[in-house]
Amino acid sequence: MPLHIATPLIESPFLSRAANCPVWLKLEALQPPGSFKLRGIGAACEEHLRRGARRFLSSSGGNAGLAVAYAGRRLSLPVTVVVPETTSRRTVELLHLEQAQVIVHGSSWHEANLLAQSMIEPTDAFIHPFDDPLLWEGHASLIDEVASAGPTPDAVVLSVGGGGLLCGVIEGLRRNRLGHVPVIAVETAGTASLNQSLRAGKIVDLEAITGVATSLGAKRVCEQAFRWSQEHPVRSVVVSDRAALAACERFLADHRLLVEPACGASLALAYERAEALVGLRRVLFIVCGGATASLDQIRAWAAGLP
Ligand SMILES: *Cc1c(COP(=O)(O)O)cnc(C)c1O
């Protein structure tokens, strides 16, 4: 039994109407730790346990850390998560609820990650949030579920941070003979590491990560994500923070599910009737979820926009 659950795949009358094409949702927001990340991270943790790991380490103050904490509790291994001081109180609380040891260190992820790296013992497994083939293989299971459910989508919409979800979805499409199905890869303007790399024709580092989609905040995408974007039909789209936040509000009203702006970014394509969707007859949106933002936080972000 894997640690993740098989999630519902439902048609959305709300997003279909907004987008003017049939929209299907894969509800990864319903994974126990609140995001798709459990698929890959759960699989990776199980594999590391088989190989003899005695502790899981993470430096993610976001959904990856939450997934590692959940996996560790389920597998009865201790988990240590080193997070920067910028991590929300809510996230630290959620990590504690999963019985993880939380070390708050440094003013940015870089410093937290350095400390975490310095703590690695021979019997520890350090779980990367996106750049690991074990993760991609685990994420691919969500496409296995879509493929066995029936009709083929004619495009998949997903959000891109470091590109782990993108790698997993493309791996899943390929292993289900759906290698022709295009992926629409969505980022916010302040986190557009894939978009900028595609424009430059090579992987580039963002100078800074800005805006509200904190879970998309990787300074550079992993190499495999860039490589896939050359070999698989991948279309890159950038949305504003405003659109991502508005999508969170509308999705909550429509489907009664609260997701992070990282996920709202994808949903915004439907709510804004994006040109990328024109002519499609069955679009699959990966509702990647995210547990780190409260409704108050989302509204405060929206109120703070210029
Ligand atoms: C991690 C995350 C993403 C981005 O996934 P990557 O694998 O880093 O591209 C998107 N949405 C949510 C909610 C996440 O937690």
Side-chain angles (χ1 to χ4, degrees):
M1 278 286 286
L3 296 178
H4 66 263
I5 63 166
T7 54
L9 173 66
I10 64 169
E11 187 171 11
S12 170
F14 311 102
L15 276 82
S16 298
R17 181 179 57 194
N20 197 32
C21 70
V23 169
W24 288 73
L25 306 174
K26 186 65 173 155
L27 294 176
E28 291 304 298
L30 298 179
Q31 292 295 347
S35 81
F36 75 93
K37 285 215 171 62
L38 180 61
R39 288 187 185 265
I41 286 175
C45 287
E46 287 191 289
E47 178 58 26
H48 287 296
L49 176 61
R50 278 192 289 273
R51 295 179 191 169
R54 284 282 152 266
R55 178 174 73 153
F56 299 133
L57 263 177
S58 165
S59 57
S60 161
N63 296 303
L66 291 172
V68 176
Y70 177 85
R73 183 175 58 75
R74 289 281 310 276
L75 298 171
S76 303
L77 279 199
V79 172
T80 300
V81 186
V82 187
V83 300
E85 285 148 11
T86 50
T87 307
S88 70
R89 207 155 9 121
R90 176 183 164 78
T91 307
V92 173
E93 214 168 281
L94 291 171
L95 288 166
H96 280 142
L97 265 177
E98 295 292 3
Q99 293 154 31
Q101 179 194 21
V102 184
I103 299 174
V104 181
H105 175 81
S107 57
S108 73
W109 173 80
H110 183 72
E111 288 140 52
N113 187 52
L114 280 179
L115 178 64
Q117 298 290 338
S118 76
M119 291 170 60
I120 301 177
E121 309 271 349
T123 53
D124 285 343
F126 182 85
I127 309 296
H128 196 279
F130 57 82
D131 194 2
D132 178 354
L134 284 175
L135 247 68
W136 309 333
E137 192 185 347
H139 293 339
S141 62
L142 81 85
I143 296 297
D144 297 339
E145 289 167 23
V146 170
S148 64
T152 302
D154 53 8
V156 181
V157 178
L158 53 76
S159 298
V160 173
L165 177 59
L166 177 87
C167 289
V169 163
I170 293 178
E171 182 171 331
L173 289 170
R174 298 212 158 202
R175 79 183 183 199
N176 286 284
R177 301 181 189 204
L178 299 172
H180 57 283
V181 175
V183 170
I184 302 175
V186 188
E187 297 169 294
T188 58
T191 64
S193 47
L194 178 67
N195 188 267
Q196 295 210 5
S197 297
L198 292 175
R199 283 171 193 279
K202 61 177 194 317
I203 298 184
V204 296
D205 285 40
L206 294 181
E207 266 169 37
I209 295 159
T210 58
V212 301
T214 49
S215 292
L216 304 185
K219 280 206 165 180
R220 62 189 280 140
V221 289
C222 61
E223 269 176 40
Q224 184 61 44
F226 184 74
R227 213 172 297 138
W228 275 134
S229 313
Q230 319 279 4
E231 292 172 22
H232 186 94
V234 172
R235 175 148 182 208
S236 165
V237 177
V238 175
V239 302
S240 66
D241 278 358
R242 182 184 304 282
L245 289 165
C248 292
E249 277 281 356
R250 281 184 71 176
F251 195 67
L252 177 61
D254 288 345
H255 280 281
R256 306 164 315 281
L257 273 173
L258 181 67
V259 298
E260 287 181 17
C263 178
S266 278
L267 303 174
L269 257 58
Y271 286 127
E272 304 242 296
R273 198 172 279 196
E275 184 253 306
L277 304 181
V278 170
L280 297 177
R281 281 158 311 175
R282 187 183 172 96
V283 191
L284 175 68
F285 279 66
I286 310 297
V287 183
C288 48
T292 70
S294 65
L295 182 56
D296 283 351
Q297 173 72 80
I298 284 168
R299 290 185 172 158
W301 274 325
L305 288 177

